[in-house]
Amino acid sequence: MDDDQLRTAIRAMAEPRDPGPRAHADVLAAVEQQRRKRRVASAAAAVVTVAAIAVGAVAVASQPPRGPAAGAHDVELTASGGVYGFQLKMTVRFPDSRQLLSAYYDIGGRRTKVTLYPGDGSDNDNYPTPLAVAAGVAVQVSAVPDVSCISAATVPELVVTSEQEDGRTYVDRFTASNPDDYSAEVTSWCPRGPYVGLVEARGGNDDTAVVELQIVNPSDVPIHVVSQAFNRQGAQWHRSSVVVPAGATRLMTITASGLSYFATPDKPWTTGHLRSNGEPITVNSR
Amino acid sequence: MASFEEFVQVELPRLLGLAHALTGNNHDAWDLAQEALTRVGLHWSRIDTGGNPSAYARTTLVRLNVDRIRRLRREIFSDRVPDTGVEDRYAVAIAPWLLQAMNALTPSQRTAVVLRFTDDLDAAGIAREMGCSTGTARSHLSRGLQRLRDRANAVVTSDLEGR
């Protein structure tokens, strides 16, 4: 396939599409709703959203610096369990301009560090550290920490270390104003695991395939996940296994040969060859 | 000066098409198009008088797609083919393997490839639209194209062997 053929196909995919009879009205209603929200919120300053992503469940060994001033605040915690883990999100503000130095979620002493970066659509290779935040500006901090069923009883806390212009260091602790929502979400999410997410599938010209799965184990016991070896239609899938501790997430790599990955419908998780403690599991199982 | 309502009438189908090419599924495409237009609507007086609303809306949509990718938190190569096939009809016949191969690209690779061919953008232009460095855009584009070509070669080889 040459570039001209590809261009034709992709342009066809991007052809204008009929949005349906109510679409225009829905857009206008959404704009009006947003305008109304803004009027109600009427934040003193323009709200610039700043987002953060987790860099993995990292135990932070050293204590954050303790400053002369620190604060504790109650804010709403959004908790949402899914195939790829359990996401926490808080939106916080500071009464004055700050340089945010670091932040982490603390669940019963277990810390998940987050990396701050601007959520304004930019995608710089180097995110600013520390992150400057003006007074009153909303900072959205989200993370996907390791969470298990027993975590339901321990509501996360967000700890942010920041520095004021005069050089004073602050440690602000943000606690959930809605702990019951968090506990309910954990209780609903954890029994339905383990969760298997397809992270990557690569197929090469040499008839090999590499599949990477993410296994989330929210239960309170370790699980042994095995992808059994099997042959199907000339394709040979090789054995792979991983132990996922309680409340942890692990990646699992499975390799295959003698096939075009995308051409075969028979994959370990569609044929009962992917098992957790002996029980078949599937990708995106819930 | 056009009204925002008129702008929505004209641009929504175009944005929906671009969003569909970027995401490969109708649900995310609609969310992206609606959110992009909502943002344009909130700043309509400024955008309409001071700039190019169509270009602004397209860039906003692409950036929102980058945000969507971030929310996914990891590049998901998927062999799940979401919401395509049955309900999608294109102006020209598109080989099923190509639709599947597009769905198997990472979201960033797909974005780079789509911008390359819908807008004839080079790496620098793609980088501007995606809000990333030129090197990053070049990498997404190069890897995305390579994966599509690998898949095309595999299909040709398979066809030849089948004869």
Side-chain angles (χ1 to χ4, degrees), chain A residues 47 95 111 124 139 148 151 162 167 183 221 248 279:
Chain A
V47 174
R111 299 173 185 179
N124 300 314
V139 181
S148 68
S151 305
S162 60
S183 301
V221 294
E279 294 294 319

Side-chain angles (χ1 to χ4, degrees), chain A residues 11 17 35 117 122-123 267, chain B residues 41 70 79 88 117 131:
Chain A
R11 285 188 172 178
R17 304 172 80 83
R35 282 182 179 146
Y117 70 82
S122 61
D123 190 16
K267 302 178 176 72
Chain B
R70 281 202 184 120
D79 64 348
D88 290 328
F117 290 116

Side-chain angles (χ1 to χ4, degrees), chain A residues 22-182:
Chain A
R22 281 200 45 78
H24 303 100
D26 286 349
V27 168
L28 298 176
V31 172
E32 186 49 39
Q33 187 183 20
Q34 286 297 319
R35 282 182 179 146
R36 202 175 303 126
K37 269 187 186 172
R38 286 188 171 203
R39 282 196 294 269
V40 171
S42 64
V47 174
V48 177
T49 301
V50 178
I53 58 170
V55 292
V58 178
V60 183
S62 60
Q63 289 290 325
R66 282 280 168 183
H73 323 271
D74 281 355
V75 296
E76 186 178 5
L77 171 68
T78 304
S80 148
V83 169
Y84 290 97
F86 197 89
Q87 187 180 57
L88 302 177
K89 194 187 292 180
M90 273 186 177
T91 300
V92 301
R93 290 178 173 81
F94 299 90
D96 40 44
S97 299
R98 300 280 180 94
Q99 300 276 337
L100 303 190
L101 304 176
S102 67
Y104 63 87
Y105 279 97
D106 184 334
I107 307 178
R110 186 168 190 165
R111 299 173 185 179
T112 299
K113 197 175 178 182
V114 301
T115 296
L116 300 161
Y117 70 82
D120 57 2
S122 61
D123 190 16
N124 300 314
D125 289 337
N126 299 307
Y127 300 122
T129 304
L131 187 65
V133 178
V137 166
V139 181
Q140 190 183 82
V141 186
S142 63
V144 183
D146 285 344
V147 167
S148 68
C149 294
I150 55 173
S151 305
T154 312
V155 180
E157 204 174 49
L158 173 65
V159 182
V160 180
T161 304
S162 60
E163 192 176 271
Q164 244 189 356
E165 284 176 358
D166 61 7
R168 290 197 301 170
T169 302
Y170 288 76
V171 178
D172 286 276
R173 307 184 78 88
F174 297 90
T175 52
S177 60
N178 54 336
D180 291 347
D181 292 343
Y182 164 80

Side-chain angles (χ1 to χ4, degrees), chain A residues 157-218:
Chain A
E157 204 174 49
L158 173 65
V159 182
V160 180
T161 304
S162 60
E163 192 176 271
Q164 244 189 356
E165 284 176 358
D166 61 7
R168 290 197 301 170
T169 302
Y170 288 76
V171 178
D172 286 276
R173 307 184 78 88
F174 297 90
T175 52
S177 60
N178 54 336
D180 291 347
D181 292 343
Y182 164 80
S183 301
E185 180 68 10
V186 174
T187 305
S188 156
W189 174 75
C190 78
R192 290 179 283 146
Y195 296 95
V196 184
L198 182 61
V199 177
E200 181 172 357
R202 297 189 299 270
N205 285 336
D206 54 353
D207 285 349
T208 61
V210 178
V211 177
E212 196 167 62
L213 302 178
Q214 177 183 282
I215 319 281
V216 179
N217 173 21

Side-chain angles (χ1 to χ4, degrees), chain B residues 134-146:
Chain B
T134 303
T136 301
R138 186 177 293 118
S139 170
H140 290 321
L141 178 62
S142 163
R143 289 179 184 170
L145 288 175
Q146 189 56 50

Side-chain angles (χ1 to χ4, degrees), chain A residues 19 24-25, chain B residues 4-14:
Chain A
H24 303 100
Chain B
F4 179 63
E5 288 81 353
E6 290 167 337
F7 178 78
V8 172
Q9 287 281 350
V10 173
E11 289 297 327
L12 180 53
R14 293 181 193 163

Side-chain angles (χ1 to χ4, degrees), chain A residues 3 7 9 11-12 14-17 26 35 54 117 122-123 125 198-199 201 205 214 260-262 267 284, chain B residues 13 17 20 34 41 70 73-77 79-80 88 90 94 104 113 117 120 131 133 136 149-151:
Chain A
D3 280 0
R7 179 178 288 105
R11 285 188 172 178
E15 281 286 307
R17 304 172 80 83
D26 286 349
R35 282 182 179 146
Y117 70 82
S122 61
D123 190 16
D125 289 337
L198 182 61
V199 177
N205 285 336
Q214 177 183 282
S260 170
Y261 173 79
F262 298 104
K267 302 178 176 72
N284 289 332
Chain B
H20 187 84
Q34 185 181 41
R70 281 202 184 120
R73 284 196 66 246
R74 44 184 66 80
E75 305 283 281
I76 300 169
F77 292 67
D79 64 348
R80 291 165 286 147
D88 290 328
Y90 300 106
I94 300 175
V113 168
F117 290 116
D120 283 329
S133 70
T136 301
R149 286 173 183 139
D150 286 348
R151 185 67 197 117

